[in-house]
Amino acid sequence: MAKKTHLKIRMVPESNPDSKFIYYAKKPTKGEKAKDLGLNETEFAFYNILNAEVVKSLGEETFSDEVNERILSLVKKLVNQFEESSKIVGFFLKQDEIKTMQRNIKRAMIEDDFDDPDLRKIVIERFMELARVKFK
């Protein structure tokens, strides 16, 4: 099945509410979404994980701009740490380096008020899985 690239939106003119006008809007690509948020492709992958887990944790589909800014800031900080740490030869084979990175994620989340232990645990696991793919 082909991937949908357009959304179907019904536009209703105020003067004629019974009208059947249909307008097709282009669906934004992942790259466009990332650019709108000021993230690169790698940061956007981590953003999606953290955003999804925060939504699950809060039990709300939407949250304040302040929370979103904290998510963006945290993602940028952690991706920079992953980029630096993954320069170490055999980073993902060294348990002490992995533990250090996990501790850094935990501390950064606590600093940015994402203090739920269950949230931290799942985010650490998912970030480490993604990092193994993105920072080989």
Side-chain angles (χ1 to χ4, degrees):
M1 179 181 225
K3 186 176 178 183
K4 288 186 177 183
T5 59
H6 291 78
L7 299 172
K8 190 175 183 179
I9 303 170
R10 184 162 185 263
M11 303 292 285
V12 181
E14 288 181 24
S15 60
N16 187 2
D18 296 328
S19 176
K20 304 240 189 234
F21 286 112
I22 294 179
Y23 176 78
Y24 288 92
K26 186 176 181 283
K27 215 176 182 181
T29 65
K30 288 181 182 178
E32 291 169 338
K33 289 179 188 177
K35 187 177 177 183
D36 289 345
L37 291 169
L39 303 172
N40 62 36
E41 185 181 321
T42 301
E43 291 168 335
F44 189 63
F46 285 91
Y47 170 83
N48 284 334
I49 289 174
L50 184 56
N51 191 49
E53 294 304 328
V54 169
V55 165
K56 284 182 195 175
S57 175
L58 296 176
E60 302 173 14
E61 282 295 316
T62 59
F63 36 76
S64 69
D65 288 342
E66 186 261 331
V67 172
N68 197 47
E69 287 299 320
R70 288 185 3 230
I71 291 171
L72 289 169
S73 169
L74 180 59
V75 164
K76 288 180 180 183
K77 183 186 330 178
L78 292 175
V79 168
N80 283 338
Q81 287 182 4
F82 270 117
E83 287 172 345
E84 288 300 313
S85 295
S86 65
K87 290 178 184 175
I88 297 169
V89 176
F91 172 76
F92 290 105
L93 300 174
K94 298 179 180 178
Q95 286 303 313
D96 59 327
E97 294 296 335
I98 291 172
K99 292 287 185 194
T100 300
M101 192 62 215
Q102 290 173 335
R103 190 172 46 251
N104 290 344
I105 296 169
K106 179 180 176 179
R107 287 178 180 163
M109 288 184 72
I110 291 170
E111 285 174 15
D112 285 332
D113 295 326
F114 295 111
D115 210 5
D116 178 15
D118 295 331
L119 174 64
R120 282 196 314 261
K121 182 180 177 189
I122 192 72
V123 168
I124 289 169
E125 288 173 12
R126 293 194 59 200
F127 270 28
M128 294 306 291
E129 287 172 16
L130 181 58
R132 280 185 178 86
V133 174
K134 293 286 186 180
F135 299 107
K136 300 182 206 180

